[in-house]
Amino acid sequence: MFLAYVIVGVLLALVLAASATFTFARNPAITDSMGKVGVPDSWLPRLASLKAAGALGLLAGLAVPFIGAAAAVGVVLYFIGAVIAHLRVKDYTFAPAAVLAVLAVAALVLRVTSS
């Protein structure tokens, strides 16, 4: 189970790090998507920081199980919030957020079961 967590956790951390980088850089694809759901521009640095913290926490979870589990919970909540934000404004292009939420749930389950 630990090897599965390593694979899922590292993959998810890489995606989160890339997304955080694009959000910090205000990539048009990211800003357009967040603007569509009503996220104020002033929130972008905070949201990027949350994604970066999630990535670091998942990687730290390789050594400290509690940190990995806590990070996975945070990432699950972040992306559930993203899906809800899309649904709230009737924007049905939430598949990336839903997939990342499912990956975060998998990381959480794998981290908890491999402790």
Side-chain angles (χ1 to χ4, degrees), residues 28-103:
I30 300 287
T31 57
D32 291 347
S33 176
M34 288 193 178
K36 235 195 278 188
V37 297
V39 174
D41 207 38
S42 62
W43 287 17
L44 294 180
R46 290 182 196 101
L47 294 174
S49 296
L50 289 173
K51 290 187 248 186
L56 291 173
L58 289 169
L59 295 176
L62 296 171
V64 183
F66 175 76
I67 293 174
V73 167
V75 174
V76 168
L77 293 174
Y78 180 96
F79 285 108
I80 287 174
V83 169
I84 290 169
H86 281 276
L87 291 174
R88 184 179 51 98
V89 297
K90 296 179 177 41
D91 175 24
Y92 300 108
T93 59
F94 59 84
V99 168
L100 291 173
V102 169
L103 271 176

Side-chain angles (χ1 to χ4, degrees), residues 13-26 30 44-45 47-53 55:
L14 289 172
V15 171
L16 287 170
S19 182
T21 301
F22 290 139
T23 304
F24 276 126
R26 298 188 189 275
I30 300 287
L44 294 180
L47 294 174
S49 296
L50 289 173
K51 290 187 248 186

